[in-house]
Amino acid sequence: MFNDSAHSFVNIVKWLLLATGVGIIVGGLDAAFLKLLDAAIGARNGVPCFYIALPFALYMVALLSRKVAKAHKDYSTDAVIKRINGHRPVSMGSAVKTFVLSIVTMTVGGSAGKEAPCADVGAGVSAFLARVIHMSPQDQRKMMICGVSAGFAGVFGVPVSGALFGLEVLWVGHIFYEVMFPALVAGITAYGVTSALGVNYLYHPIAFSPVFSELFFLKVIIAGLFFGLISILFIEISKLARVVFRLVTLRRGMFWTCMLGGLLLVLIGYFTSPLYLGLGMAGIEGPLSGAALQSPFGFLYKMITTSVTLAVGGIGGIVTPIFFVGAQAGAMLSAFLQVDSATLAALGLVAVLAGTANTPISASIMAIELFGAAIAPYATVACVISFLITGRQSIFPHQRISWDSGKLPQEPALKTYQGPRRRSSDRAGQLPSHTSAASQVRHRLKRFLPGQNQRNAFIKRARTFLKK
C-alpha cells in the first residue's frame, strides 16, 4: 500500500487518482438520476391532478423500502451521516433502492429533494470501491466522504460548496481537513462530468449593486434573524411529524399511516396548489426571478408537505425543500423590509440551509456559486446569524454537534452532542411501543420551556436590575 502520511507527495497523488475516479463514477450516476427524474416529472405534468394517487403510492414506496432487502435502509441524507459518523459503510442495496424509490416518490407528488439519492449512491459506490481494493477502515471512510461530496456537487452544480457541504454537515464544529483535498477533487470532477453530460442547473446571478449603508446592513441582520426562526420552525415541524406518524404506525400500522399522510398531502395540493408537492423547482426559480408568490404562506405549506412525506415513508432528500422554503420566505419578507424580492429570496435560500443543516461556511460559498460574488458579504452575514439562532438544533438528527456556544463560564462545558440518548427499544429513532401520546406531547412541550438553570439565571439578573 501507499504511504499514508498526510504530507507525503505519494499520498497526494494517491488521493488525486482515487477522488478523480469517484468523481467520474458518481458524476455519471448523478447525471443519469437527474435525467430520469426530469423525464418522469415531464411525463407526469401532462396528467391532471397527478397527486390523487399519493396515499397508495407512498404505501407502495414504504412497503418496498422496508420489506424488500430489509437490511438495506440507508436511504436518506441523515442515514448516510449516521453511517459515516459510525465508521460503517453504506450498502449498494440502499443506493439502488434510493435511486429508484426517490424518483417514484417525487414523480407521484411526494415533497422531497434530489440530493439524498445522489449522496447515498455516492457513498455506496465509493464504499464498494474501497472494499474491492482492500482499503483500511479509515480510508474507506474518506472514500465515502468523497462520494457524498461528489453527489452534492453534481446534483446542485456547486463544485466547491457542494464538496464542503459533504464535510461540514457531518460534524458541526469539526471539519475533516485531511479529507478536504480529495473531497474537492471529487466534487469538481463530478460537476465537470454532469455538465458535460448536459445537466442544467439552478443559476440566477443577482443583478443588484446595493450601496452599503447602516440601514441596509440592519435589514440584512433582521433577515438573518428571521431566517433563523424559519429554520427552527422547519426543524420542529419535521420532528413533530415524525413523532405523530410513528405513533400512528405503532397503533394502526403502516398502511393507515400512508393513507392519512397521503390524504393530507392531497388536500394541501387541491386546496392550495400542486406547487407545494413534488420536487418544487418552480417554487424556487419563481422567487429568484422576482415573480410574485402564489401565497405568502408558501414556505409553511412546503414545510408541512415535506415533513409529512418523509415521515410516512417517502424516499428522498430535504435540501431541495429547504431551498424552496428559504426562497419563499425571503420573497415574502421583502415587502416588509422594502428590499428587492429576488435578492432576499437568494439570501433566504442559503440562510435557511445554513440554519437547518448547520452549514454556514458551505452555504455562504454556495451563494457565490449560484448568485454571483456581489451577494457574498450579505449572504455570509445572513448565514452566520441564521446558524447562531438555531444553535444546537438540526434537521439531521444524527449530525454530530460540538462547538463553543458562548455559555457563561460558571456553567459546565457541554459535551459533544451525538443525538438524544435512546433506550435499546428505541433503535433507529423508533419510539418504544409503550410510549403514550400524552407522554410524547409533554416531552415536546418541555423543549419550549426554560430549564431550572435558565430560570435561576433570569431571576438573578432581574433582582440585580431592580437593585440599581
Side-chain angles (χ1 to χ4, degrees):
M1 291 296 293
F2 291 113
N3 182 10
D4 199 30
S5 172
H7 301 288
S8 102
F9 174 78
V10 174
N11 189 60
I12 293 176
V13 174
K14 164 191 169 181
W15 282 107
L16 174 63
L17 297 175
L18 290 172
T20 301
V22 169
I24 292 173
I25 296 173
V26 176
L29 293 172
D30 282 356
F33 173 80
L34 295 174
K35 292 286 187 180
L36 288 173
L37 179 61
D38 288 343
I41 293 176
R44 177 210 70 187
N45 289 338
V47 179
C49 297
F50 60 87
Y51 49 87
I52 293 296
L54 257 173
F56 299 98
L58 287 176
Y59 178 65
M60 181 189 71
V61 170
L63 199 64
L64 291 173
S65 64
R66 299 179 186 183
K67 302 300 182 182
V68 178
K70 295 181 181 180
H72 306 288
K73 296 183 179 180
D74 307 319
Y75 35 69
S76 69
T77 305
D78 184 60
V80 173
I81 291 173
K82 179 183 178 182
R83 293 292 252 182
I84 294 177
N85 284 335
H87 296 265
R88 291 178 293 171
V90 175
S91 66
M92 284 297 294
S94 296
V96 172
K97 287 204 296 187
T98 307
F99 192 96
V100 176
L101 295 181
S102 58
I103 294 178
V104 176
T105 299
M106 288 179 274
T107 301
V108 298
S111 179
K114 55 187 178 180
E115 84 288 344
C118 296
D120 196 347
V121 169
V125 169
S126 56
F128 174 76
L129 292 176
R131 291 194 298 270
V132 168
I133 59 179
H134 304 290
M135 300 183 74
S136 66
Q138 293 78 12
D139 283 353
Q140 288 187 32
R141 187 167 186 250
K142 291 181 181 180
M143 285 283 283
M144 284 195 294
I145 294 175
C146 290
V148 171
S149 296
F152 279 120
V155 77
F156 292 122
V158 283
V160 178
S161 59
L164 293 179
F165 184 86
L167 297 174
E168 194 177 15
V169 75
L170 296 175
W171 193 334
V172 182
H174 177 80
I175 296 179
F176 299 93
Y177 291 104
E178 68 275 13
V179 200
M180 185 173 291
F181 170 68
L184 286 170
V185 171
I188 294 170
T189 304
Y191 169 71
V193 171
T194 53
S195 299
L197 293 175
V199 174
N200 296 318
Y201 293 111
L202 173 73
Y203 181 62
H204 283 267
I206 302 299
F208 85 116
S209 299
V211 177
F212 181 83
S213 65
E214 289 81 1
L215 178 60
F216 183 78
F217 191 67
L218 178 61
K219 290 180 179 180
V220 172
I221 293 175
I222 294 173
L225 294 171
F226 175 74
F227 296 138
L229 296 176
I230 291 294
S231 301
I232 293 175
L233 181 62
F234 198 175
I235 294 169
E236 292 302 324
I237 289 178
S238 178
K239 291 178 181 177
L240 180 62
R242 288 197 299 269
V243 169
V244 170
F245 285 105
R246 280 174 189 160
L247 290 175
V248 175
T249 302
L250 290 172
R251 301 295 173 86
R252 297 298 179 184
M254 186 171 62
F255 176 80
W256 288 109
T257 297
C258 296
M259 292 299 109
L260 179 61
L263 179 60
L264 179 59
L265 296 176
V266 170
L267 293 176
I268 292 176
Y270 182 79
F271 287 105
T272 59
S273 170
L275 177 70
Y276 309 115
L277 302 176
L279 186 60
M281 292 303 296
I284 302 174
E285 294 176 350
L288 292 176
S289 301
L293 298 177
Q294 289 192 12
S295 169
F297 302 106
F299 68 92
L300 182 59
Y301 297 145
K302 190 64 174 179
M303 289 181 187
I304 296 173
T305 57
T306 303
S307 300
V308 171
T309 298
L310 300 180
V312 302
I315 304 299
I318 201 168
V319 173
T320 310
I322 288 173
F323 288 170
F324 187 110
V325 169
Q328 294 270 328
M332 185 270 290
L333 185 65
S334 63
F336 174 76
L337 293 181
Q338 296 298 306
V339 177
D340 174 63
S341 62
T343 300
L344 216 52
L347 292 178
L349 185 148
V350 293
V352 174
L353 176 64
T356 52
N358 288 318
T359 53
I361 298 175
S362 54
S364 300
I365 298 174
M366 185 178 293
I368 301 174
E369 293 187 299
L370 292 178
F371 311 121
I375 203 173
Y378 313 106
T380 303
V381 170
C383 287
V384 170
I385 292 176
S386 178
F387 164 71
L388 294 175
I389 289 294
T390 55
R392 305 177 74 82
Q393 301 182 71
S394 174
I395 201 73
F396 302 119
H398 290 98
Q399 182 185 60
R400 292 186 179 181
I401 301 178
S402 57
W403 58 287
D404 183 7
S405 59
K407 293 289 185 180
L408 296 175
Q410 62 266 27
E411 294 190 14
L414 290 170
K415 296 181 179 180
T416 299
Y417 176 75
Q418 300 184 10
R421 297 183 64 183
R422 300 184 176 95
R423 289 168 289 191
S424 59
S425 61
D426 192 12
R427 290 177 296 178
Q430 297 180 353
L431 298 175
S433 58
H434 60 270
T435 304
S436 66
S439 299
Q440 289 297 323
V441 172
R442 286 196 297 269
H443 174 71
R444 290 297 172 195
L445 289 176
K446 285 180 180 179
R447 299 195 57 181
F448 294 92
L449 299 176
Q452 185 64 39
N453 292 338
Q454 288 81 359
R455 290 196 296 269
N456 291 341
F458 175 80
I459 294 173
K460 183 177 180 180
R461 289 195 296 269
R463 287 174 177 172
T464 303
F465 176 80
L466 292 174
K467 288 179 181 179
K468 293 182 179 180

